[in-house]
Amino acid sequence: MSLTAGSRPDGTRPPSAVEEPTAAVATVVAKDRVSRKAGRAGRIPWRIRLRRDRALILMTLPVIVLLLLFNYVPLLGNVVAFQDYDPYISSNGITAIFHSPWVGVEQFSRMVDDPLFWDATQNTIVLFVLQLVLFFPIPIALALLINSVVRPRVRAVAQAIMYLPHFFSWVLVVTVFQQIFGGAGIIAQTLEDHGWSGFDLMTNASLFKYLVTAQAVWKDAGWGIIVFLAALAAVSTDLYEAAAMDGAGRWRRMWHVTLPALRPVIALLLVLRVGDALSVGFEQFLLQRDAVGVGASEVLDTYVWNMGIQNGDFSYAAAVGLVKGVIGICLVLSANKFAHLMGEQGVYQK
């Protein structure tokens, strides 16, 4: 009996090479179905999970209630941006919403035609760029500096000194700067004793944007290092030891080990900061408004306060605030998308 190529002695053919992968794929698919069924069967019912986690739910319930009460319920008041709202048209301000006439987008048209609004917007953007360039990198540098301190006692003392200004009110911060840089401050008196007069940084409108940036750095830069120090604490010392064994010096270890560990945190905080670009402060500018004038100190937050609280134009102020919030959301989404393109997680995953 003659045998054909590839046949067995009994005349049958062995399984072809195509059949073996097919069988393997079928096996994998079957195992996947079994695991899915087992996963569905092993799920804990929501009633059992609710009973199991009731302590955690009760702990977070007050926070959720406060968040809803003070952050989400007031959003319903944005409806007055489309009205000619008058709080005195009814017995109280809430029922006045239902009796105020609708004007559509008239308030937004006023906003576009108002030159004071654009001046406040320009000041806000300039201050945001300055604070992003001059303020944002400082907590990172301070965190790297503190992380390089070997002695724990020295590190603890330095951190305490840096954290302390964060707990000062803006009234106290402005007072401290007034005593140092004001017309009757330490620097002005020292210069006057040496024949120089006229120094008063606190009333210089052209330098006001740098002054408020310096105040923000002095007050909050130390507090901003907490997140970066927490990220640095999670870096394994084995990485530094391996880099040192490979001949990397202190600067190369910082560049190739420390900074890559901080990249996700930097990207997250940068996204949040960009989303908060139109909120550069309120009390700080309001306290120094009379010293430098409205033209230098007016930002969007103080503009909304001035139009709504001072002038009683609540609908127009609500329209400006609504536009500010919508732009902030768009900036967060855009910055987060850019973080994804750079390979970082951002605020949320893709």
Side-chain angles (χ1 to χ4, degrees), residues 267 270-272 274-275 330-340 346:
L270 188 60
V271 169
L272 295 177
V274 170
C330 295
L331 289 175
V332 167
L333 296 177
S334 302
N336 195 73
K337 181 65 175 179
F338 181 75
H340 289 167

Side-chain angles (χ1 to χ4, degrees), residues 179-261:
Q179 295 299 320
I180 299 175
F181 302 103
I186 298 174
I187 297 179
Q189 292 180 2
T190 304
L191 293 176
E192 188 174 352
D193 293 339
H194 291 79
W196 298 81
S197 61
F199 178 84
D200 189 0
L201 185 61
M202 301 298 293
T203 58
N204 193 327
S206 60
L207 298 178
F208 179 72
K209 51 183 175 292
Y210 301 103
L211 174 66
V212 295
T213 302
Q215 293 171 350
V217 169
W218 184 76
K219 185 177 187 295
D220 291 324
W223 185 258
I225 70 176
I226 294 179
V227 178
F228 298 109
L229 288 178
L232 290 175
V235 181
S236 175
T237 56
D238 296 338
L239 297 176
Y240 292 103
E241 294 175 358
M245 292 179 62
D246 290 339
R250 175 175 296 183
W251 291 104
R252 294 188 66 86
R253 289 198 300 270
M254 183 187 69
W255 185 261
H256 294 287
V257 178
T258 306
L259 289 180

Side-chain angles (χ1 to χ4, degrees), residues 93-114:
I94 297 178
T95 56
I97 297 177
F98 302 98
H99 297 87
S100 297
W102 293 87
V103 295
V105 295
E106 179 182 335
Q107 308 296 345
F108 299 93
S109 300
R110 285 181 54 198
M111 179 184 64
V112 174
D113 296 334
D114 189 0

Side-chain angles (χ1 to χ4, degrees), residues 42-54 57:
R43 285 182 180 176
I44 302 176
W46 68 272
R47 293 181 180 177
I48 297 178
R49 286 184 292 168
L50 184 64
R51 192 182 311 115
R52 180 193 64 187
D53 301 332
R54 63 180 180 275
I57 294 174

Side-chain angles (χ1 to χ4, degrees), residues 9-57:
D10 58 356
T12 61
R13 282 182 169 273
S16 63
V18 178
E19 294 175 353
E20 293 179 0
T22 306
V25 171
T27 304
V28 172
V29 172
K31 289 182 178 180
D32 183 64
R33 290 177 179 174
V34 172
S35 63
R36 288 182 180 180
K37 290 181 180 179
R40 287 194 297 267
R43 285 182 180 176
I44 302 176
W46 68 272
R47 293 181 180 177
I48 297 178
R49 286 184 292 168
L50 184 64
R51 192 182 311 115
R52 180 193 64 187
D53 301 332
R54 63 180 180 275
L56 297 176
I57 294 174

